[in-house]
Amino acid sequence: TTADKSTIETKSIWVGNVDYGASVYELEDHYRSCGVIVRATILHDKYSGKPKGFAYVEFVNAGSVELALTLNDTILHGREIKI
């Protein structure tokens, strides 16, 4: 529902400049210190199956998003990620 979607959005971050070789496990590990993660998703092209270079991380609590924002411009898998 729309209410569920907006609730999820308050507890999620968009992560850009994700290396094509990075795994979901590495992404989760990078943000683990921010709080409990519900899921991390690296988006892939539906035709080629290759990663698009960005991801989403959903946390249990909205407060974790503020902590995650402090990790903007940090290095993940050799690249400076953007939130």
Side-chain angles (χ1 to χ4, degrees):
T1 66
T2 304
D4 291 337
K5 187 176 179 181
S6 65
T7 300
I8 291 171
E9 288 176 359
T10 63
K11 299 185 293 183
S12 301
I13 58 168
W14 175 89
V15 184
N17 203 29
V18 177
D19 183 73
Y20 297 133
S23 70
V24 170
Y25 304 109
E26 292 170 315
L27 189 64
E28 288 176 345
D29 192 48
H30 192 76
Y31 289 101
R32 190 170 319 283
S33 65
C34 300
V36 179
I37 297 170
V38 175
R39 72 176 149 225
T41 306
I42 297 175
L43 277 73
H44 292 78
D45 181 79
K46 66 180 178 179
Y47 298 110
S48 69
K50 295 180 181 179
K52 291 185 171 185
F54 61 93
Y56 292 96
V57 179
E58 180 187 348
F59 296 97
V60 171
N61 298 310
S64 297
V65 170
E66 293 299 319
L67 293 172
L69 291 173
T70 65
L71 296 178
N72 187 39
D73 295 331
T74 57
I75 303 298
L76 172 65
H77 216 265
R79 294 182 80 172
E80 190 176 282
I81 55 174
K82 303 292 182 184
I83 301 173

